[in-house]
Amino acid sequence: MAELRDSNLDKITIIQQAIASCCGAIITSLLVTPLDVIKTRLQAQSNPFPRGKCFVYSNGLMDHICVCENGDSKAWYKKTGHFKGTLDAFVKITQIEGIRSLWSGLPPTLIMALPTTVIYFTCYDQLSEALKSRLGKDNEYIPVLAGSLSRFGSVTVVSPLELIRTRMQYRKLSYKQLCTCISSKVATDGWLSLWRGWSSTVLRDVPFSAMYWYNYERFKKMMCKEVGAHEPTFFIAFTSGAASGSIAAVITLPFDVVKTQRQTELWESETLKIPQSACTSTWAVMRKIVAKNGIAGLFAGIIPRLFKVAPACAIMISTYEYGKSFFSHLNEK
């Protein structure tokens, strides 16, 4: 039986890796964003968002905390509608508001998703190659280490951008005003204040990445061996990505629930000047949720999360693998 071919990273440049991951993020956002626009509109219809409160907009790649305002509104949650279900919402939004309305949440997604994805996937591949030379290419813990470290790095680098984007989203600030605002915050609370909310993101995303890459590499090797392929096909990468993403999403869901609650509280504290509750640590919030709603409270929203994460992981990784294969073959010519 043919063995899975070694990585093509020696045949492509880091720039080509970054382009492949960037294309994957754009395609994933284009395909998955309409699903969350429809979900959010259905949610707003059945349970209207009160003015001044926050909710999470997420498409599987990125989370965005949004405030409910009067006047100029976010098209993906504010417009009214009478929808009977997902398909009905898709048809009516397209007919009444135009097809572009399904991508209302795309700009904030791309602003954060592109740098995060480029750093994350490029670092993963580079770390994997470095670890293979030290630990041996068949070491099964390489995906765990590379996935954890690359996610830790990308979250840490992009975390201040999230805080900046949040402030720009709430108030229209010029770049000069934004710099003044950030300088004032740093002078008052120190540089570490730019990484508020970082810990809860790391607690969710690092374990997710460790499990995702471990299972993805295993599923990919198993399927390649089963069909006798030297390298993963688009279908193999797509299926492996969906399966591994689903497993990781279910296991890390409690941390996602905690992160969402902490993130909305932080948002309100930063922008609406609503005092945060005393329970600000991840474990304190987790105990609070269990006391109020039981263990089931930590797994709230499992179905919507799977519907977002599974296709997003599948599309992203299969597009990325295809991009690397494309550049590898292009460089051989």
Side-chain angles (χ1 to χ4, degrees), residues 55-122:
F55 71 96
V56 176
Y57 166 78
S58 172
N59 69 354
L61 276 183
M62 299 297 300
D63 294 338
H64 306 287
I65 299 297
C66 304
V67 69
C68 303
E69 310 169 40
N70 285 338
D72 292 337
S73 62
K74 305 296 183 296
W76 64 82
Y77 79 85
K78 193 62 179 259
K79 291 184 180 178
T80 57
H82 300 283
F83 310 125
K84 298 176 183 178
T86 301
L87 184 60
D88 184 57
F90 175 84
V91 173
K92 287 182 178 177
I93 291 172
T94 303
Q95 290 178 340
I96 298 171
E97 302 170 26
I99 192 73
R100 291 178 61 184
S101 292
L102 293 173
W103 284 272
S104 301
L106 187 60
T109 295
L110 293 180
I111 289 171
M112 295 300 296
L114 292 183
T116 303
T117 305
V118 169
I119 295 170
Y120 178 39
F121 279 82
T122 305

Side-chain angles (χ1 to χ4, degrees), residues 189-209:
D189 302 323
W191 284 100
L192 290 179
S193 62
L194 296 179
W195 278 267
R196 287 188 65 184
W198 169 85
S199 60
S200 55
T201 305
V202 166
L203 279 173
R204 181 196 66 172
D205 288 358
V206 170
F208 179 95
S209 296

Side-chain angles (χ1 to χ4, degrees), residues 233-255:
T233 62
F234 185 88
F235 175 77
I236 289 174
F238 188 94
T239 306
S240 300
S244 54
S246 298
I247 293 170
V250 171
I251 295 175
T252 60
L253 184 59
F255 292 107

